[in-house]
């Protein structure tokens, strides 16, 4: 099977010759081809070259346009700091919506207007020409909580949940419109899978997640799915208190960061949810040995049972030993989905 | 409910205006400024830390509680005189290290340390080793707390420690580090004195480092 076929089979509940292998690589990919991260994050040709090379050399089943959280915010006019060799980052001291009143006049940018969002669309078009049908092509948007934090400043947004929930809803409405337009443009440019990164959602706790964040995540997922894309949810951090809600979104893939046990994810999301993850990127993947990495992936697989994709809890750190990443690939390739079938009576999904 | 119990509850509930009002009323009633810390602010923030550790509180709750505590400390600090003023738990230089702009974890640690009675010198984000050295010298700090969210920037913790050593300050300050990619082993390998895996742990660690 080709990587793309392997992923689609797994998402559709069909047997596959191996487990899909979909680790997030950004700085690792840039280093792999010897380019500075600034070039990777801002020049689509560099990113596409690096992603195709790293995917080929480590046998990934997909390529992705994910680069940093500041893409959409930059095009909205937010102050972003660029560094020579690490991801661009929002300048929170000068947050675009430090003054909440500015929300009413803020306009969602046109994704094709020549900015950072446009760069991402160009990457997808080039991926489509170069990756052919071999690798799955993933687009990427920020989720409502993450993008709201990028625009408002994360510290301010967290207290807004108590001080001004009406403003938070209004900001989420703006973000939803922005991200749906961006996601649809990415689908049109060649993405068949859209990753939704909503890191800040892990900070708010179950009450605000259910009341304020989840409804907007649901609308985003529904809108992207209605446009023909598969969806992947990635929430960094400790998501243990919101796992059930994440499972109810209907995403094709839910990533688990290393702080949320796979066994709990399976228990709370049921046997049909495709789970991706979740070995600790630093402690297990970067600092481990090929043998310990292989064993850690095996444990995730055991806890997830079937419907499982191999990956780390978050981005593969840039200085991860090549042999450790290859150990993950080896595990994926040695385990077809027929090997760990869910028990018929296993509503908890444990083998 | 006593005045201090009422104040503790208002801090835990994140009600800054109530805390301000209670503080002012208690001062009018003759309560000494230094009494508020052991009897209201520190126990309240200890409870916030416990709830955070037990996943009863999340970041919004912690931030509004810390803001409420600050409503009291902002009034009380200028009123502390003589021995009271210098009797803080210690002076901590807090920062997110050079090249890193992520500050919510550092901010929470700083606010909880402040509520635990430490004097805070917050250097913000993207703090160079030179800036850390200068702040330690200027404020006679006895603790440095460095944060990083990225594997690419955590190496700058090592540079911060090296700069303190070069300036002859290493034996005068304790150093603690934290942040998502940071581990106990990493802290030990760069010569830090401790690793705080979360904000409540960082407060306990700071207390023990200063006590030793």
């Amino acid at each position: 099977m080709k990587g793309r076929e392997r992923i689609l089979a797994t998402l559709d509940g069909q047997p596959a010759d191996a487990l899909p292998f979909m680790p997030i690589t950004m700085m690792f990919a840039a280093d792999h081809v010897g380019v500075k991260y600034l070039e990777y994050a801002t020049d689509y040709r560099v990113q596409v070259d690096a992603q195709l090379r790293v995917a080929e050399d480590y046998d990934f089943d997909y390529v992705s346009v994910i680069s940093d959280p500041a893409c959409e915010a930059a095009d909205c006019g937010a102050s972003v700091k660029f560094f020579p060799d690490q991801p661009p980052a929002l300048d929170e001291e000068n947050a675009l919506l430090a003054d909440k009143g500015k929300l009413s006049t803020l306009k969602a940018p046109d994704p094709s207007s020549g900015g950072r969002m446009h760069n991402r669309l160009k990457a997808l078009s080039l991926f489509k020409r170069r990756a052919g049908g071999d690798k799955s092509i993933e687009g990427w948007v920020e989720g409502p909580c993450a993008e709201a934090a990028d625009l408002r400043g994360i510290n301010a947004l967290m207290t807004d949940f108590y001080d001004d929930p009406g403003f938070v809803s209004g900001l989420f409405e703006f973000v939803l419109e922005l991200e749906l337009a961006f996601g649809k443009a990415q689908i049109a440019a060649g993405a068949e899978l859209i990753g939704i990164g909503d890191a800040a959602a892990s900070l708010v706790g179950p009450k605000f997640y259910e009341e304020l964040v989840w409804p907007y995540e649901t609308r985003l997922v529904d809108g992207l799915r209605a446009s023909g894309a598969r969806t992947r949810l990635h929430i960094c951090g400790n998501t243990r208190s919101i796992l059930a809600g994440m499972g109810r979104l209907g995403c094709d893939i839910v990533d688990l960061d290393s702080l949320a046990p796979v066994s709990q994810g399976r228990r709370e999301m049921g046997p049909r949810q495709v789970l991706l993850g979740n070995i600790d990127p630093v402690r297990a993947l970067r600092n481990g040995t090929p043998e310990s990495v292989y064993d850690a992936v095996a444990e995730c697989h055991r806890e997830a049972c079937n419907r499982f994709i191999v990956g780390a809890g978050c981005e593969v750190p840039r200085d991860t030993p090549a042999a450790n990443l290859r150990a993950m690939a080896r595990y994926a390739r040695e385990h077809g989905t027929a090997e760990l079938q869910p028990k018929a009576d296993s509503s908890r999904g444990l083998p | 409910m006593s005045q201090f119990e009422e104040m503790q509850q208002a801090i835990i509930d994140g009600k800054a205006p109530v805390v301000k009002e209670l503080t002012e009323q208690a001062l009018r009633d003759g309560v000494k400024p230094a009494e508020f810390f052991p009897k209201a602010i520190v126990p309240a923030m200890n409870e916030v830390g416990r709830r955070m550790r037990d996943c009863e509180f999340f970041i919004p709750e912690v931030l509004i509680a810390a803001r409420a505590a600050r409503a009291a400390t902002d009034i009380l600090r200028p009123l502390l005189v003589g021995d009271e003023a210098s009797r803080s738990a210690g002076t901590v230089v807090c920062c997110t290290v050079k090249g890193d702009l992520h500050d919510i974890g550092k901010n929470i640690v700083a606010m909880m340390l402040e509520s635990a009675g430490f004097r805070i010198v917050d250097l913000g984000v993207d703090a160079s080793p030179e800036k850390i050295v200068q702040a330690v010298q200027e404020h006679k700090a006895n603790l440095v707390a460095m944060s990083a969210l990225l594997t690419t920037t955590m190496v700058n913790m090592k540079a911060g420690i090296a700069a303190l050593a070069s300036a002859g300050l290493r034996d005068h300050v304790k150093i603690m580090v934290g942040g998502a990619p940071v581990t106990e082993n990493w802290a030990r390998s760069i010569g830090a004195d401790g690793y705080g895996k979360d904000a409540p742990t960082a407060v306990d660690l700071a207390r023990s480092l200063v006590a030793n």
Side-chain angles (χ1 to χ4, degrees), chain A residues 96-97 99-108 167 170-171 174 177:
Chain A
L96 186 67
L97 294 178
D99 171 5
K100 290 190 285 186
K102 286 187 179 169
L103 176 61
S104 60
T105 56
L106 192 60
K107 295 274 181 282
F167 168 76
L171 179 52
F174 172 83
E177 182 194 341

Side-chain angles (χ1 to χ4, degrees), chain A residues 27 81 83 86 89-93 154-155 158-159 161-163 203-206 208 241 282-283 286 317-318, chain B residues 55 58-61 63-64 67 99-101 103-104 107 125-126 150-154 180-183 195:
Chain A
M27 285 186 282
K81 286 193 177 173
F83 300 91
Q86 65 184 53
L90 274 305
D91 175 12
E92 185 167 353
E93 286 176 6
I154 192 164
N155 293 277
M158 290 296 127
T159 50
F161 278 97
Y162 273 101
D163 296 342
L203 303 178
V204 303
F208 289 127
S241 69
V282 175
R283 292 162 182 82
R286 190 189 69 163
R318 74 182 327 168
Chain B
C55 294
F58 295 86
I59 302 304
E61 290 79 21
L63 285 177
I64 63 166
R67 184 175 64 183
D100 202 321
L101 304 185
D103 71 350
I104 192 162
N107 289 347
V125 298
D126 198 16
L150 307 171
T151 54
T152 49
T153 55
M154 62 194 260
V182 178
T183 63
Y195 156 67

Side-chain angles (χ1 to χ4, degrees), chain A residues 56 98 254 303 311 324 342:
Chain A
E56 201 55 46
V254 173
E303 292 183 19
N324 290 5

